[in-house]
Amino acid sequence: MRIAFLASRVRAEEKLLLEAYAARGVDVLRVDPRRIDLRVDSLRGGAEWDDVAVVHDRSISFATSAHLVEALESRGMNCVNTSRVIRTCGDKMRTSLALARAAVPQPHTRVAFSPEQALEILEHELGYPAVIKPTVGSWGRMVARLNDRDAAEAVLEDRAVLGNWTHRTIYLQQLVDKPGRDIRAFVIGEQVIAAIHRHSEHWVTNTARGATTSNCSLSLDLVEIASAAAKAVGGGILAVDLVEDPQQGLLVLEVNHGMEFRNSIEATGVDIAAEMADFVLAQAGMLVGGGVR
Amino acid sequence: MSNCPTCEIAIAVPADAVEGEILACTGCDAELEVIQLDPPSLCLAPEMDEDWGE
């Protein structure tokens, strides 16, 4: 038996994961989604997948992940993460709904489907400053702070004229007055294995935007909320991003299904790649008694 | 060794490189993708797409 590892762009994270599998003596079928020819008019064929016990998806593209993993699941394959989790985490509105269904605390969030209604919500519900986020996207791209009505009108018009169809769903959120940092908790299965603070002078605290990291101790509150958020979206290998609101306490901003972790290993002292690899192998029954079967 | 497709400077592809790995060109800072190991071959890495991320 072997595992299939889906990745086109091999970043530091993918190299660490491949090294973790190699260290465990696991046979890995590397699959570049850009070169795949997958039948979807039939669930037969594709003999190269026959001895694959589990699929570890590390595709960098949300569309690729969601479609490819769903196609593989249709063939009965066990995938980490599942397509349901990918679709939920890859769309901020779906994430918010999943968190709401599970009563996981999150910032005040509204969705509008026209710029006019978005302005109404900003003026009468959320107030300023607020944040507008694309429902699909990552690394803080196109996340904008709306300090006042002038800023809101400008950004909403830009998105309406220059944006793509995903910007028709206007996702608005309360700006949380965070203390120069946020928290990322790494949840694997039912366990919160580590967490980091992400520090930045900027209100956007993504490491992709230059935030620095330090270890964050695992308080009971943090473990409880991060676990609940991971469970709410379907569970698996997840990074839960949270903010500390002075009044409301810990709030979940988003849950990431394809987490980056290169800057978190040294800060936390946790071998995150090893934990991920062991979880994936365990899903296929390939990890028994601390060793690979 | 391979050459940057943009500035043509010689790039040493690390011995532990894998296909799909991203390298930074030491001459022009372009992001390069390892598309072949033997012999080493590099191309310009794809530009970031809107649905890329975590």
Side-chain angles (χ1 to χ4, degrees):
Chain A
M1 289 204 297
R2 57 182 176 166
I3 75 156
F5 189 83
L6 310 181
S8 53
R9 191 180 176 94
V10 177
R11 298 161 287 179
E13 285 79 6
E14 282 70 41
K15 284 204 80 173
L16 289 166
L17 287 165
L18 290 169
E19 287 166 12
Y21 286 123
R24 285 155 178 74
V26 175
D27 185 10
V28 175
L29 170 66
R30 269 206 58 204
V31 179
D32 184 338
R34 294 172 299 182
R35 298 188 177 88
I36 201 166
D37 175 6
L38 193 67
R39 288 192 69 168
V40 291
D41 58 351
S42 164
L43 300 183
R44 291 196 293 266
E48 69 274 21
W49 298 93
D50 284 351
D51 60 348
V52 170
V54 63
V55 177
H56 189 174
D57 173 50
R58 289 290 304 177
S59 308
I60 200 168
S61 153
F62 169 52
T64 300
S65 263
H67 284 108
L68 178 52
V69 169
E70 185 170 348
L72 295 174
E73 286 171 341
S74 295
R75 291 165 173 252
M77 304 190 71
N78 186 6
C79 300
V80 180
N81 287 310
T82 67
S83 61
R84 178 185 153 228
V85 170
I86 293 165
R87 287 185 190 281
T88 302
C89 295
D91 182 319
K92 288 185 175 59
M93 196 195 78
R94 284 181 168 152
T95 302
S96 285
L97 290 171
L99 296 174
R101 284 194 290 270
V104 176
Q106 58 183 314
H108 300 306
T109 306
R110 298 287 188 279
V111 162
F113 298 100
S114 72
E116 296 77 16
Q117 189 58 28
L119 277 174
E120 282 291 309
I121 291 169
L122 290 164
E123 294 283 314
H124 303 295
E125 296 285 337
L126 286 180
Y128 300 103
V131 180
I132 182 171
K133 300 177 177 180
T135 52
V136 174
S138 194
W139 298 326
R141 284 196 314 275
M142 297 194 74
V143 170
R145 176 175 169 146
L146 309 175
N147 284 335
D148 53 29
R149 185 180 178 107
D150 288 343
E153 287 178 346
V155 172
L156 288 166
E157 183 178 7
D158 274 4
R159 301 276 160 100
V161 174
L162 302 173
N164 62 34
W165 64 271
T166 66
H167 297 126
R168 305 289 179 263
T169 304
I170 304 169
Y171 183 94
L172 302 164
Q173 203 162 57
Q174 157 204 12
L175 177 71
V176 175
D177 185 21
K178 56 189 175 186
R181 68 184 190 189
D182 71 2
I183 296 170
R184 164 162 292 193
F186 298 95
V187 188
I188 297 183
E190 295 183 353
Q191 194 180 0
V192 181
I193 62 160
I196 55 165
H197 285 297
R198 302 187 298 186
H199 307 266
S200 178
E201 297 291 315
H202 197 275
W203 67 277
V204 177
T205 42
N206 293 65
T207 52
R209 299 272 290 263
T212 58
T213 59
S214 65
N215 186 49
C216 172
S217 59
L218 297 177
S219 68
L220 286 176
D221 263 8
L222 175 58
V223 168
E224 185 180 330
I225 294 176
S227 301
K231 188 177 177 188
V233 300
I237 297 178
L238 299 161
V240 180
D241 293 345
L242 308 100
V243 281
E244 302 153 280
D245 182 272
Q247 279 80 45
Q248 303 172 85
L250 286 173
L251 303 173
V252 174
L253 280 181
E254 63 184 49
V255 185
N256 300 279
H257 65 271
M259 65 198 196
E260 291 172 335
F261 54 86
R262 74 185 73 170
N263 298 318
S264 305
I265 299 168
E266 190 178 333
T268 63
V270 175
D271 189 344
I272 297 171
E275 299 275 352
M276 293 168 72
D278 286 344
F279 177 79
V280 171
L281 295 173
Q283 301 315 295
M286 292 173 69
L287 191 69
V288 178
V292 173
R293 188 165 72 183
Chain B
M1 298 290 279
S2 185
N3 292 87
C4 172
T6 300
C7 72
E8 298 187 345
I9 194 173
I11 307 272
V13 176
D16 65 347
V18 296
E19 287 182 11
E21 185 166 344
I22 304 299
L23 305 176
C25 174
T26 50
C28 66
D29 276 343
E31 276 200 330
L32 306 175
E33 178 181 338
V34 178
I35 54 171
Q36 183 179 292
L37 291 171
D38 190 19
S41 181
L42 302 167
C43 73
L44 268 180
E47 293 284 326
M48 182 165 56
D49 223 333
E50 281 185 56
D51 74 332
W52 280 20
E54 297 187 79

